[in-house]
Amino acid sequence: MMEKLASLWAERSRREQWMLGVMFALLAVVLLWFGVAMPLDRGQRGARDALLAATDRNAAIRAAVKQLKALPRTPVVSGPATAIDQFVGQSAGEAGLTLERAQAQGQDRMEIAIATVRPSALFGWVARLEAQGVRVETLSVRPSPTAGSLSVQAVLVRGEGR
């Protein structure tokens, strides 16, 4: 292979050899520029932009944390006045959820199971319960057979957290 290239090179005149040499040198410069230098430059610019965006997000989060720490602390609501099982059942009905099992475990504690529920509906309902003084002690969430739905088992307790 090298012998064939050497014979092809020797067949060329001195002028053609110079032109081919200049062409190969320019081709090498173009390949280095577009194959190495530009991708490295684009990567560096992308990393710099990502760093600036992350720095901005960090500053915004720190400012939000500072504002949250400055808020006055409000006492936690002790819970609804009705029995927890009645309150949770009524709240679930208002949220459009069907409790498969709702078993009271004393005055201020109950276990529930929901066969199928959309994640947004579940977590919105749980947030409303917590805002009214019923907290989640344990929560087990698994995908249900229905696409995009969850199967839930939870223990709910009245009152503030530990």
Side-chain angles (χ1 to χ4, degrees):
M1 177 79 170
M2 292 301 290
E3 293 171 4
K4 187 174 183 179
L5 287 176
S7 70
L8 284 175
W9 185 259
E11 290 175 5
R12 306 283 168 229
S13 68
R14 178 64 71 194
R15 182 176 175 211
E16 287 177 331
Q17 288 176 351
W18 269 100
M19 287 189 333
L20 286 173
V22 169
M23 181 191 72
F24 288 132
L26 289 174
L27 181 63
V29 168
V30 169
L31 288 176
L32 284 173
W33 178 257
F34 287 109
V36 176
M38 285 185 68
L40 286 175
D41 184 54
R42 271 190 247 123
Q44 185 180 16
R45 287 178 193 214
R48 186 180 313 118
D49 292 343
L51 176 65
L52 291 174
T55 303
D56 290 343
R57 280 193 312 270
N58 185 11
I61 290 170
R62 287 181 184 272
V65 167
K66 188 175 181 181
Q67 287 178 346
L68 287 173
K69 285 183 177 181
L71 290 175
R73 302 218 181 233
T74 57
V76 176
V77 179
S78 64
T82 61
I84 192 169
D85 56 342
Q86 291 175 340
F87 176 75
V88 170
Q90 179 182 354
S91 175
E94 290 170 358
L97 304 177
T98 304
L99 298 178
E100 182 180 301
R101 185 179 76 239
Q103 183 177 7
Q105 297 177 341
Q107 183 66 19
D108 294 332
R109 179 181 164 113
M110 74 177 298
E111 183 178 352
I112 64 164
I114 302 173
T116 181
V117 62
R118 296 274 179 203
S120 58
L122 171 69
F123 293 114
W125 176 64
V126 168
R128 286 190 298 277
L129 283 177
E130 288 181 344
Q132 295 177 352
V134 176
R135 66 181 171 87
V136 177
E137 186 174 69
T138 62
L139 180 67
S140 173
V141 180
R142 293 188 181 95
S144 72
T146 307
S149 295
L150 303 172
S151 176
V152 179
Q153 291 182 346
V155 175
L156 305 175
V157 180
R158 181 192 324 241
E160 60 186 73
R162 293 176 223 160

